[in-house]
Every structure is written in C-alpha cells, then in structure tokens.
Amino acid sequence: MFVSVFASKRRNLLVRGLHFGKKFTPPGAEDIILKAICVNISQKKWKFLDQLSSSLTTSLLPRIFRELRTSPLLLLEFYQRVGGVEAVSCSLESCCILICIMVERKNFDVALCLMKELMISRGYLPLEMLEALISSSDSGFPSSAVFDALVRACTQIGAAVDAYEVIMKLRMGGIQVSIHAWNNFLSHLLKIGDVGRFWAMYREMILYGYYENLHTFNLLIYALCKDCKLPEALSVFYRMIKVGFCPNIVGYNMLVDGACMADDLDLAHKVVEKIETMSRGYVSANVVTFNCLINGYCKKGNPEMAGDILDKMIEMGMKPNIRTYATVIDGYSRNGCLEEGFKLCSRMVENNIVPNLAIYNSFIHWLCIEGDISGASLLLSNMMENHIFPDQFTHSIIIKGLCRNGLVNEALKVHNWIIDKNLVEDAFSNNILINYLCRSNNVSGAKQLLCRMFVQGLVPDVVTYGTMIDGYCKASKMESAIEVYTDMIKGDEPNLVIFNSILDGFCKEGSTDLSSSLIEKMKRLNMFDTITFNTLLSSYCRIGRFKEAFDLFMNMRRAGLLVNRVTYNIMINFLCKLGLFEQATQLLSLMFCQGLTPDSVTYTTLLTNLRNKSSCEEVVKMHDFLLLQGVIPDRQTYEAIVRPVDIDTSPEFMEWVNDCV
DNA sequence: ATAGGGTTAG
C-alpha cells in the first residue's frame, strides 16, 4: 500500500516534469527525461507511457530508439504502442532508425514490414526512404543489409521500377547492394513475367562486376525454362557445375518444371530419375519435384498418370501436400473428369487435409466451364460456410463463368457488388467484362468500365488496354483505338497482341498505307509472329490482291515456323473462292506434310465450297476423310452443311449431328 | 528462391 502510493506520487511528478519540459527544456533536462522513459520502457510500464505520449518529441524519439537498440523486441513493443502518436508517425527519421536497428538485430521480417508500412500506408517514396535511411545510418548504423531490405520491400509491394532506382541511386553514391538484393530484384521480374527486363537487368548486373551465385544460376535456368529454351537451360546448368557450384534441389526442380513447360515430359522424367546420381547422392527429389512432374502430366491431358505418380509418392513414403492434391484434382477436372476430382478431394479430406481456396476455385471454374452455374454457386456458398473467402481468382472465375454462359448482366451485377464491398484489387475482372462487352458490340459499355477503373484508382494493365483497343478495332473505330493506344504508351509498353489488333483494324478498314508502315515498325522492333502475317494474308485475300497473297504465303512457308493451321485455312478458303478446288485439296495434303491437322474451320470451308460445285459423292468422301483425321465438327459446321441433308444419313453421321445440336 | 486456381491476338 505504502509503496504504491509512493510510486504514484513519483509518477505524477515525472509526468508533470515532462509536460513542463515540452514547453521549456533547460539544458540537460532532455537527458533526464530520456533516462526516465527508458527505465520505464525496460520495466514495461506501458500505462505510464500512455500518459506522456504527448511528450514524445521528434528529437527525443530517435534518442530513445538508439538507447534501446540492444533490446529490439522491447523497442518494437514500444513502437507499436506509440505508433499512432503524431511525433512518431511524422518522423520518418525515427522510423528509419528503428528499421536499421531491426536489420542490425537480424529481425528482417520486422524491418520489411516497417518499410512497407511507411511506403504503402504513409505514402513515403522509396527514394525518400533511402535518403532517410542513409541519414540515420550516419549516426552509427551503417549496414548494406538495410539497403538490401529496402530493395526487397520495393519488390514485395510490386514496385519494380523503384527497386531498380534504389539500386542505381546507391551505385551513384558508390554503394553496391549485395548480390542477394540483385537476385531478389531479378526473381521479382520473373515472377511478374517480365523476362525481357530480367535479361537486360542481368546483363547490367554482370557489367557492374557482380558474379552469379547459386541463386542467380537458378534464376537463369528458370528464365530460360519460362521461354521454353530447354537446351540453353541445361547448358547453364552444366556451366554452374563447371564453375564449382553444386546445384541444389531448387535448380533440379526448375529443370523438371522447365522440361514440363517445354512439353518434354520424357526429359522431365529423366531428370527426376538422375537427381541422385548427378548429385552423387547429395540431393534427392522432394515434394516440389513430383508436383512439377504431376502438373506436367495434368497440363498434357493425362491426369491418370498424375494420379499414378501421386500413388507412387505415397508408396515411397513421401507425403503429398495440399498442392499435390490440388494439382491432380485440377488435372482431372480440366480433362473432363470432374467426378474423379471430387473423389480425390474426399480422399484428401480422409487424409486430414482440408480443401483450400485454390481447390475450391478450381472446382468452381470447371463447373462454370461445364455450364453448371448453380453447381458452382452452391460450391461457393459451401466454401464460405467453411470460412474460406473468395479472392481475386474467385471473382474472375465467377464473372467469366457468368459471361460465357450468356449472363453478362448478372456478371456486371456481381462486379458492382464486389466494387461496393471494396474488394477489387487487380484488373482481371474488369478485363473479362470489357472483353465480353466488346464481343457483344457494346464498346461504349466497355469504355464506361475503363473510366470507372480510373475513378476507383485501379490501374488498367496492358491486357485492359489491349482488350479495349481490340474492341475498338473490331468495331471499326480506329480513331478511338489509337486514342487508347496513345494513353497506354504513357505508362506501358505495347505488346505484340496489341500491334496485331491494330494491324487487323487497319487491314479491315482498308488503310493499306497505315498497315504497311505498322508492319515495318513491327519488323524493326522484332515484334511479329504467325498471327501478324496471317492477318495480312487474310487481308490480301479479302481484297483480292492475289499476287501479294501468294508471295506472302510462299515467304511464310520459307520462314518455316511462320505458318500454322490458320494460315492454311485462309489459303484454302481463298483458293475455294477462286474456284480452284483441286489446288485447295492439294494445299490440304501440304498441310499434312507439315504435321498440321485440319480443324472444324478447315472442314466448314472445304465442305461449304465443295457443296456448291461438286458431286454429292465427293462431298461425302471429303467429309469422311476429314473426320478420320480427327476433325471435330462444331455447331457452325453443322449449320453450314446441314441444309443439303442428303449428303449423308448414315447412323454415324446422324449421331454427330445430334451431338452437335 | 522452385510446384496449384483467373485475363488478351487471327
């Protein structure tokens, strides 16, 4: 009793002193206050501190932080308690001192959180942060790890450009960030799919005199795999061994994944089998290795094999994780075996693994694809009952599901609801809606969505712009398309898809000069593909420029990789329109020689044209032939040729007719 | 650090 009275008296005295000190601090007084505060913090007397929070001045705070640098956890608790105080939130300097201490004490996660908070919630620019960190470093906390952490914080909030600026600014000041920071930056570029910039930055890094470490090599392999450059990836793999690195499981896994992405499952298998021997027993396959392989088989349309690998894993005593199950489940569902997917999911639940958002999203997606909207919404409510809440993926899946089933208005309603709830984070849902609105000839509706994105502060991405541009091009509103394009290039680089859309627009409106100069520009930028030339080819065919069409076709064939099935479809259609059926059929054989197979468009083209000119017998012969080649006729095919019903009434034929309708 | 689910071109 006596003690507590005494203590409270002392406390009052001190509080009064602090309030006084705020207005008029005699020399040395701040030192006394500092000591007093620090003692109270060390004893975790938080209530006391709450009372004098208004006395925490901007000059006092850094001193408190430095005083307590040996007890980072205590310091952090103090910061969290006074974080809302104006003097704290307004003083970037004190926060930076705290960050430096956290890095020094190897509390990297805390330092990262603090940095991200300052940049996101309080709006500090990365370069401002850098300045503040440097000036707080002057007073005794210099550490390059702080700068590494800043680069990492930038990449984690998606500010790749800022990360680079930080690295460059430091370079100008004679400070080299570590190879780890570069690796982090490079890895982020790959994650956001900017392989081009990845290589440019890698070259720059080497130019500055850095040497690759194990992680850098892994990233190089990954980048090459992403570009389906498997032989090059393998050669980097050998190069890293040659310079003395022992590849770890991550490197092997990237090769396995890369081989799968390049559709070379045999190689993927071989790598998995050889990990042990290649590493002389130091490295063995892990769950990720098998997950990559399983994913490869699922994407190749062989979920049964994926299921077998899953069983084999269990046999080997390796525990499949939720990603293993999620991948196989999605594999079954995407290959038309939703039931198998559900079965496997219950098996997973029996093994005490609870379905997560990715699994729900996958099921909802494939149910939507099957047209089972009510099944999808049932699953969605089941998911939410289980306290798993929709994310951006779910939103996109549902909105696209509704659109593709003809319920664009429903999709718009859902989208508005999501906006009302403030749940929109990325451009995906908008992109889907814009695309569907454009497709249903409602470009003005699409434009409204784009404008609303700006109002909401949601940044449209290249796909948003690309979709909008394509919409305008298809609606023959080239001026609007160019307007959007001009807006876009203020922030984003145009990509090949966008150039192709614009080219198609120019071709369709007959602007020969504009399309030629665009083609020249695309060639200069080395940005063109089969679609580019198919667009041009079909335009030549449409306006009857025979010579140009044939020349282009010949040149494309000479270039080898530049022809595909669509190229042949365009040419076959062209020849048919000219009445040259003989040649059209020859082109069909040529198509086979190139390993290309006809599709329903080839079918429709040939049969509708043949029907008018040739005998019934010939038409039926062509029909049988194309079906034997594996062509699956679609509704359009059926509608195009069903009128002369007499072409075939065999049971098989009627069966597919019925299947189509 | 590597593995699963959503957007764009003819």
Side-chain angles (χ1 to χ4, degrees), chain A residues 212-255:
Chain A
E212 300 96 337
N213 68 7
L214 186 72
H215 187 182
T216 325
F217 275 116
N218 281 345
L219 290 171
L220 298 181
I221 293 170
Y222 191 43
L224 290 166
C225 287
K226 277 199 160 199
D227 262 357
C228 288
K229 290 178 175 158
L230 208 48
E232 289 90 338
L234 276 167
S235 95
V236 170
F237 192 81
Y238 291 126
R239 199 177 104 215
M240 77 188 269
I241 295 174
K242 216 166 148 190
V243 295
F245 287 100
C246 296
N248 60 5
I249 188 61
V250 177
Y252 284 102
N253 286 347
M254 282 167 165
L255 275 185

Side-chain angles (χ1 to χ4, degrees), chain A residues 234-470:
Chain A
L234 276 167
S235 95
V236 170
F237 192 81
Y238 291 126
R239 199 177 104 215
M240 77 188 269
I241 295 174
K242 216 166 148 190
V243 295
F245 287 100
C246 296
N248 60 5
I249 188 61
V250 177
Y252 284 102
N253 286 347
M254 282 167 165
L255 275 185
V256 175
D257 196 41
C260 290
M261 282 193 279
D263 232 20
D264 194 342
L265 285 165
D266 288 339
L267 181 68
H269 244 129
K270 262 185 219 149
V271 175
V272 176
E273 278 161 18
K274 292 202 168 155
I275 292 178
E276 296 262 350
T277 46
M278 276 176 82
S279 66
R280 300 206 187 101
Y282 282 106
V283 182
S284 14
N286 62 9
V287 187
V288 179
T289 323
F290 285 101
N291 288 354
C292 292
L293 202 56
I294 282 174
N295 186 36
Y297 279 106
C298 288
K299 296 291 147 64
K300 222 183 172 182
N302 191 350
E304 289 81 13
M305 185 64 177
D308 288 348
I309 298 173
L310 171 69
D311 293 337
K312 209 180 106 199
M313 281 171 77
I314 299 170
E315 234 170 73
M316 287 165 59
M318 186 178 284
K319 222 172 142 64
N321 61 16
I322 192 152
R323 285 206 182 192
T324 323
Y325 284 106
T327 312
V328 184
I329 288 172
D330 181 73
Y332 280 125
S333 310
R334 80 167 55 233
N335 290 289
C337 315
L338 255 166
E339 284 310 313
E340 283 301 316
F342 285 126
K343 262 191 230 161
L344 183 56
C345 189
S346 3
R347 230 179 85 193
M348 183 189 82
V349 174
E350 281 161 23
N351 285 317
N352 294 320
I353 300 180
V354 182
N356 64 5
L357 188 55
I359 294 177
Y360 274 108
N361 280 343
S362 165
F363 276 134
I364 294 173
H365 178 230
W366 294 110
L367 281 170
C368 286
I369 298 279
E370 274 199 354
D372 187 356
I373 295 287
S374 61
S377 61
L378 211 64
L379 202 55
L380 179 68
S381 28
N382 170 274
M383 176 181 107
M384 287 164 74
E385 275 164 23
N386 290 326
H387 305 287
I388 297 175
F389 296 99
D391 68 349
Q392 301 297 319
F393 279 78
T394 327
H395 296 153
S396 302
I397 290 167
I398 291 169
I399 287 171
K400 171 129 197 206
L402 290 169
C403 286
R404 70 184 305 142
N405 286 285
L407 302 165
V408 184
N409 283 328
E410 299 302 314
L412 280 166
K413 271 185 213 153
V414 173
H415 185 62
N416 288 336
W417 184 85
I418 294 167
I419 288 173
D420 282 345
K421 296 272 172 211
N422 233 338
L423 294 172
V424 184
E425 287 164 21
D426 64 19
F428 269 62
S429 305
N430 277 296
N431 294 349
I432 297 165
L433 282 168
I434 289 175
N435 177 34
Y436 272 91
L437 286 173
C438 288
R439 266 201 242 174
S440 48
N441 292 324
N442 186 357
V443 205
S444 59
K447 192 192 171 182
Q448 275 176 22
L449 276 187
L450 180 68
C451 292
R452 198 166 62 174
M453 285 176 79
F454 283 114
V455 174
Q456 290 158 0
L458 196 64
V459 186
D461 61 12
V462 206
V463 177
T464 322
Y465 287 117
T467 314
M468 208 58 230
I469 290 171
D470 192 59

